Amino acid sequence: MNTKKEIEEQKEYLNKVKEVNKEKSPKYTILTMGCQLNENDSEKICGMLEKMGYIKTQKQDEADLAIFNTCCVRENAEDKLFGKLGELKKLKEQKGIIIAIGGCMMQEKHIVDKIKTSYPFVDIVFGTHTLHKFPEDLYKSIQEKRKIEDIMDIDGEIYEGLPIKRDSNIKASVTIMNGCNNFCSYCIVPYVRGRERSRSPKEIIKEIRELAKDGYKEITLLGQNVNSYLRVEKEKNIQFEEYEGVNSFATLLIAINKIDGIERIRFVSPHPKDFTDDVIDAIAKCDKVCKLVHLPLQSGNTKVLKEMNRKYTKEQYLNLVEKMKNKIPNLTLSTDIIVGFPGETDEEFEDTLDVVRKVKFEQVYMFIYSRRVGTPGDKMENQVPDDIKHVRFNKLKALVESQIEENNKKYIGTVQKVLVEGESKNNKDLLTGRTDSNKVVIFEGSKDLINQSINLEIVSEHMWYLKGKIKYDRK
Ligand code: SAH
Ligand code: SF4
Ligand code: F3S
């Protein structure tokens, strides 16, 4: 069956569940773990649920349906899921709520086995390749009152046209590709998300034009390796239709830059090994593409990088940064770093600190290496003891925090263009927005500035946010 037909079939299930819910307004909760791709998938689950008559609630005890969209990139996600399932067991016994678990962790056989034996009250288990079939799974669970396990161990297809209920009406995420072919030796993602495949240029442009029409100002393009967009298709001679000149990641940025109404374009994550010159040039010349680039480093040591299968050296990474800094005015960088990869010595870890000192990242997402079943890293014998991992993590954290403090000072007295996102969470009298470099800025202003870009003078800095003052009237 082709994907269009499958989606049509699911629409029938949507209507069937809606019919079941007629004259009722059942409520659902959804808990999402993991990356922005998972959050985007959750927005699609919410879109399907609302079409089936469900209403979202934050209160677990009033829900008729509880959903988890899981992540398995690090071990702590598992602890969180099993803790939550313990809590839900009571609600299941008291009022018979439906419990559905989906996402990356469900692609791991040992986890699904554990759910079946230790948490048999879970109703629906669905994987990353069967998200679009959620209406059918839910319908069968309700009507046939049986357990549903809907997981496919395949590469997965691209499904277009799923309903979506977005979390924000200012910023929107747009998934441009699924899966990953890189197999970094620590990482579970390629095993749970399947092989890399790109969405068609036309579908992406169409979606972003719609978003612009609906008033969205900022778009984040998502994928595990965004700068290899359409690469697999070209390598394997898989037919795709060029649209508005889009046949690569660089041309995609250029085409989106032309869409009226969109003011900012961000993307996560690119891979340093695929950062070709055309992408650097596109970032430099497209005024809407934010000059904050997330460039995952993982380790600053060439030997560790080789063991990680990252396919670049310390020098290549630093040279790329240099080249980007030269070509892209006002470039800022953020990164991901793993400490305590198997075999990493103190001296090798020093190379990571060295790169951090040299590059001066705007933001660093730091992770302690976590063994993932089925990855080459898990089978390596020279695992680093936990206490050493923690010492290194704290050393890196101290360096990063001192750099952020230093860097924040540079903002004081500057004028920053800020996209206003809403009221500040901690103080409803203040507004909050973000700079091009994704820094949070809090300031006083009237509510009609929400969803506008304005110029703010930065007056003070704090570790995780800046304070601003309105400098000029709107743009
Ligand atoms: N595709 C993206 C992000 C993948 S997951 C990329 O290549 O950058 C997000 C981050 O989680 C990774 O960048 C990595 O820093 C971290 N990560 C992945 N697997 C991990 C593991 N086993 N232990 C600790 N951190 C991990
Ligand atoms: Fe994981 Fe590497 Fe793929 Fe990123 S590029 S998802 S770190 S395997
Ligand atoms: Fe986690 Fe899956 Fe994303 S494993 S990081 S939710 S792709």
Side-chain angles (χ1 to χ4, degrees):
M1 201 173 355
N2 69 29
T3 57
K4 258 193 191 148
K5 254 197 179 145
E6 282 184 65
I7 291 294
E8 283 309 310
E9 199 179 284
Q10 291 306 315
K11 276 190 189 149
E12 286 170 29
Y13 282 106
L14 274 177
N15 290 331
K16 283 185 187 169
V17 180
K18 197 173 166 195
E19 191 59 30
V20 173
N21 286 336
K22 204 171 59 183
E23 286 153 27
K24 289 185 261 180
S25 301
K27 297 201 170 90
Y28 74 96
T29 54
I30 183 159
L31 179 68
T32 308
M33 305 172 200
C35 63
Q36 294 184 58
L37 281 156
N38 239 24
E39 279 167 19
N40 195 229
D41 282 349
S42 284
E43 291 181 327
K44 290 171 191 158
I45 297 173
C46 294
M48 294 188 260
L49 282 170
E50 307 219 344
K51 282 248 183 310
M52 293 187 275
Y54 285 89
I55 299 168
K56 195 173 187 168
T57 174
Q58 305 298 338
K59 295 186 194 137
Q60 199 167 279
D61 54 359
E62 64 175 33
D64 302 283
L65 167 65
I67 300 159
F68 285 114
N69 195 6
T70 60
C71 166
C72 52
V73 82
R74 284 171 294 273
E75 194 175 357
N76 51 11
E78 282 154 34
D79 303 339
K80 202 168 164 186
L81 171 71
F82 294 125
K84 203 77 190 156
L85 279 177
E87 265 174 46
L88 278 178
K89 189 173 178 208
K90 276 190 221 106
L91 283 175
K92 182 80 188 171
E93 286 161 359
Q94 284 162 6
K95 51 181 280 199
I97 63 167
I98 298 176
I99 302 173
I101 315 180
C104 296
M105 217 192 278
M106 298 308 107
Q107 296 291 140
E108 295 186 293
K109 191 174 173 304
H110 68 282
I111 297 283
V112 175
D113 288 346
K114 182 166 173 181
I115 290 176
K116 282 200 274 196
T117 51
S118 307
Y119 305 88
F121 54 88
V122 170
D123 299 282
I124 304 170
V125 169
F126 61 103
T128 54
H129 306 304
T130 44
L131 180 92
H132 63 288
K133 282 176 68 202
F134 189 64
E136 179 178 345
D137 294 340
L138 185 57
Y139 181 75
K140 287 185 174 161
S141 165
I142 296 171
Q143 288 305 84
E144 298 168 19
K145 300 213 171 3
R146 64 176 172 94
K147 306 279 170 214
I148 307 290
E149 185 182 324
D150 193 1
I151 298 161
M152 278 199 278
D153 191 15
I154 50 151
D155 293 343
E157 302 275 352
I158 303 255
Y159 291 91
E160 297 292 350
L162 288 182
I164 186 158
K165 170 93 175 35
R166 294 182 185 274
D167 293 337
S168 154
N169 48 17
I170 300 169
K171 306 198 289 186
S173 298
V174 175
T175 299
I176 62 166
M177 63 204 299
N178 292 343
C180 180
N181 284 359
N182 288 327
F183 291 93
C184 302
S185 60
Y186 50 82
C187 185
I188 193 77
V189 171
Y191 305 90
V192 297
R193 286 271 175 178
R195 295 292 62 72
E196 196 170 301
R197 54 222 177 264
S198 298
R199 280 180 75 193
S200 85
K202 192 173 181 177
E203 292 291 347
I204 296 171
I205 301 286
K206 228 170 63 184
E207 180 173 347
I208 298 176
R209 283 207 184 113
E210 276 306 307
L211 288 165
K213 236 195 282 163
D214 292 341
Y216 284 88
K217 299 281 164 63
E218 184 175 308
I219 300 295
T220 302
L221 306 175
L222 302 180
Q224 294 298 357
N225 195 10
V226 283
N227 51 346
S228 75
Y229 174 67
L230 288 177
R231 188 191 57 191
V232 169
E233 284 70 11
K234 284 184 219 160
E235 278 172 7
K236 295 196 172 159
N237 275 326
I238 298 170
Q239 286 281 309
F240 67 89
E241 189 191 341
E242 223 177 282
Y243 184 73
E244 309 265 311
V246 179
N247 56 19
S248 63
F249 186 59
T251 47
L252 180 66
L253 290 178
I254 293 167
I256 300 170
N257 197 59
K258 291 183 192 142
I259 299 178
D260 284 340
I262 299 301
E263 293 181 10
R264 274 185 178 168
I265 305 162
R266 300 187 189 276
F267 54 88
V268 276
S269 287
H271 196 301
K273 77 174 164 61
D274 298 313
F275 229 110
T276 44
D277 287 352
D278 60 340
V279 176
I280 300 177
D281 292 340
I283 299 169
K285 82 171 190 205
C286 293
D287 59 325
K288 296 177 185 176
V289 175
C290 291
K291 304 311 176 218
L292 168 74
V293 175
H294 185 67
L295 194 65
L297 168 67
Q298 312 301 1
S299 164
N301 177 269
T302 297
K303 183 171 151 272
V304 175
L305 285 167
K306 190 163 175 22
E307 297 280 307
M308 285 178 161
N309 194 28
R310 289 292 290 178
K311 302 199 169 74
Y312 52 85
T313 63
K314 175 187 183 183
E315 288 67 34
Q316 282 168 332
Y317 186 93
L318 288 172
N319 289 342
L320 173 63
V321 167
E322 218 25 59
K323 182 156 74 173
M324 289 168 74
K325 282 186 174 168
N326 288 335
K327 283 191 169 180
I328 307 170
N330 301 319
L331 177 81
T332 54
L333 290 160
S334 61
T335 201
D336 288 352
I337 291 174
I338 297 176
V339 303
F341 181 77
E344 183 189 64
T345 63
D346 281 336
E347 294 74 53
E348 288 162 356
F349 171 66
E350 282 300 319
D351 273 333
T352 298
L353 298 178
D354 186 46
V355 175
V356 171
R357 275 188 210 105
K358 287 193 167 116
V359 178
K360 296 194 172 62
F361 294 102
E362 192 73 27
Q363 182 65 269
V364 181
Y365 301 91
M366 297 166 272
F367 306 106
I368 289 177
Y369 171 71
S370 171
R371 293 174 79 159
R372 304 287 70 205
V373 174
T375 62
D378 185 42
K379 295 184 195 87
M380 293 178 185
E381 274 163 17
N382 41 4
Q383 301 287 328
V384 175
D386 277 353
D387 52 342
I388 296 182
K389 284 185 194 165
H390 282 99
V391 170
R392 288 183 196 158
F393 183 85
N394 289 336
K395 229 172 161 178
L396 174 64
K397 187 163 168 265
L399 171 64
V400 166
E401 287 182 356
S402 74
Q403 284 191 328
I404 291 180
E405 230 176 292
E406 199 56 37
N407 186 43
N408 280 352
K409 287 191 190 124
K410 288 194 203 137
Y411 280 90
I412 294 179
T414 64
V415 174
Q416 299 285 326
K417 192 168 164 193
V418 167
L419 175 60
V420 186
E421 291 175 11
E423 291 170 356
S424 161
K425 271 200 195 109
N426 299 327
N427 182 348
K428 298 267 174 256
D429 295 332
L430 298 176
L431 294 176
T432 179
R434 281 178 192 262
T435 62
D436 178 288
S437 59
N438 216 24
K439 278 250 177 270
V440 173
V441 187
I442 312 279
F443 67 102
E444 238 173 79
S446 102
K447 305 267 186 278
D448 64 359
L449 293 173
I450 294 171
N451 203 8
Q452 309 273 344
S453 289
I454 58 166
N455 283 324
L456 293 179
E457 183 184 339
I458 304 305
V459 291
S460 67
E461 52 90 17
H462 305 260
M463 193 68 191
W464 302 117
Y465 66 95
L466 305 170
K467 272 196 173 156
K469 202 171 73 187
I470 295 180
K471 176 78 178 162
Y472 309 108
D473 276 350
R474 314 235 172 112
K475 276 191 291 185

